[in-house]
Amino acid sequence: MKISNSSFSFFVPLVNGLMRLGLAGVHQQINLCNESLMLEKLPVCGKFFEGMMKKVDSKKWCNLTEFIMYYNNFTQCTEREANSASCFWPNPLAESFITGIHKQYFSNCTLDNVHWEDPPDEILITLILIPVILTCAMIMLVVWCSKRSDILV
Ligand SMILES: *[C@@H]1O[C@H](CO)[C@@H](O)[C@H](O)[C@H]1NC(C)=O
Ligand SMILES: *[C@@H]1O[C@H](CO)[C@@H](O)[C@H](O)[C@H]1NC(C)=O
Ligand SMILES: *[C@@H]1O[C@H](CO)[C@@H](O)[C@H](O)[C@H]1NC(C)=O
Ligand SMILES: *[C@@H]1O[C@H](CO)[C@@H](O)[C@H](O)[C@H]1NC(C)=O
């Protein structure tokens, strides 16, 4: 499986976003998204990611194995901050922020020097699929439980 740099930048947030949408359907979000509050909070995630990337040798910035942990932490941070401003995640504003961070660090990564080979595809696929499967299972469980209570009532 070959993933291009740009598709990767949306892939992980997209998968997490699908999870979020699924759960948001269960827990309805009542408050309106405060975009200015979110935009105030997102740079905290950027700063954190920046600090982490500084610890990684800039020659290794294109090595997925080196930054996937921090990247995952970074996307989780943007999700947390978006949610704390009552915003759905991902949303266009948060996405453009994430893309900006991407341009800053991965703009020089070409497919030639991005080492998608490690971790192997199977690990990558597993990393992506496990949350999806778990989410589906959780949604099914909730639906099943609510049907059960319908029967019991
Ligand atoms: C949105 O957040 C800002 C703080 O950044 C706050 O001043 C404002 O009152 C909030 N707006 C709403 C509608 O809650
Ligand atoms: C990428 O980083 C990992 C972990 O530090 C390392 O084992 C691997 O050799 C690196 N790959 C390349 C091509 O530099
Ligand atoms: C992820 O971020 C939290 C703080 O936001 C930090 O405590 C934790 O150590 C980070 N984990 C990794 C793997 O960097
Ligand atoms: C990308 O390359 C340009 C020109 O070589 C350099 O100025 C810039 O700092 C590099 N950016 C990153 C994120 O490595």
Side-chain angles (χ1 to χ4, degrees):
M1 182 176 70
K2 280 268 177 271
I3 306 175
S4 77
N5 196 23
S6 62
S7 70
F8 175 72
S9 73
F10 291 106
F11 203 47
V12 175
L14 182 73
V15 169
N16 287 335
L18 286 176
M19 291 171 59
R20 173 60 44 193
L21 278 180
L23 293 178
V26 177
H27 306 281
Q28 283 197 338
Q29 224 149 347
I30 305 150
N31 295 327
L32 287 174
C33 172
N34 188 336
E35 288 187 347
S36 59
L37 183 61
M38 184 181 70
L39 286 178
E40 263 174 41
K41 287 183 161 194
L42 283 182
V44 174
C45 305
K47 279 272 181 305
F48 174 76
F49 188 63
E50 204 175 304
M52 285 300 168
M53 288 305 269
K54 274 189 183 136
K55 289 186 193 164
V56 178
D57 185 351
S58 64
K59 290 191 201 93
K60 290 184 181 170
W61 276 358
C62 296
N63 185 339
L64 178 71
T65 333
E66 293 276 347
F67 70 76
I68 189 77
M69 288 288 286
Y70 310 135
Y71 185 79
N72 193 30
N73 215 342
F74 167 68
T75 52
Q76 275 169 8
C77 178
T78 61
E79 180 179 3
R80 194 170 56 236
E81 296 307 335
N83 286 339
S84 77
S86 310
C87 298
F88 283 111
W89 189 95
N91 58 62
L93 278 174
E95 220 161 79
S96 70
F97 178 78
I98 292 170
T99 312
I101 293 284
H102 249 265
K103 287 210 183 99
Q104 198 177 334
Y105 290 100
F106 310 125
S107 56
N108 289 351
C109 298
T110 64
L111 273 182
D112 292 337
N113 62 6
V114 176
H115 301 288
W116 300 111
E117 284 73 24
D118 33 57
D121 290 349
E122 301 84 61
I123 296 179
L124 203 59
I125 291 168
T126 313
L127 279 176
I128 291 166
L129 280 186
I130 282 177
V132 174
I133 291 167
L134 276 180
T135 307
C136 291
M138 277 167 67
I139 292 171
M140 278 166 64
L141 194 67
V142 169
V143 170
W144 182 72
C145 287
S146 59
K147 278 195 181 144
R148 284 276 300 207
S149 63
D150 285 351
I151 295 167
L152 292 175
V153 164

